[in-house]
Amino acid sequence: MSLSEHDIEHLREHIAHYPHKRAGAIYCLYYVQDKYGYIPRDSLDEVSELTDLSPTQLDELITFYTLLRRRPVGRRLIRICDSISCYTRGAEQVLAAAKEAAGVEFGDISADGAVTVLPSICLGLCDRAPAGLVDDKEDLGELTPEKIRDLICKYAAETLSEKEAGSQQILAVLKNAD
């Protein structure tokens, strides 16, 4: 997966606003992640050329910033805080329930492709502990094992519904072609 000339030109224009190319690295990494859903290895070489940072240095940035991803994730990414405030309010049980409901290890994609669950350091929602974050946008507060199970089931149902709708559209096209 490589970036298009349009993507590269866009990134060059953005980087030009900084006094040093390397200052645009985080923006470039987020741009790549938005495009592919994660940051593929090939794109590190391209971003490296644009920012004058080595692929290893970029990898270090990705490892440090928890909102950057090196692997694909499910249609919904659920981060559950496991920092002290959330931990003392039951995050351990919420994480166990999420892992069980998803049916896979943390960081893996559920069999239906609906979710990936990740433990996460502080999300800044300590007043609503235990807390979570969906797709890095939607706050989840005062989580319980039941709430997280219901949420994962909801996302699984949405994924199934969309897959069925896609199959029905394909069948309709084939039927109309007769």
Side-chain angles (χ1 to χ4, degrees), residues 98-139:
K99 185 175 168 183
E100 180 186 346
V104 292
E105 295 298 316
F106 295 129
D108 291 342
I109 301 171
S110 61
D112 57 9
V115 297
T116 296
V117 177
L118 289 173
S120 189
I121 58 170
C122 187
L123 299 171
L125 300 167
C126 304
D127 61 321
R128 299 176 52 212
L133 190 62
V134 178
D135 296 333
D136 300 330
K137 297 176 211 165
E138 180 186 343
D139 305 2

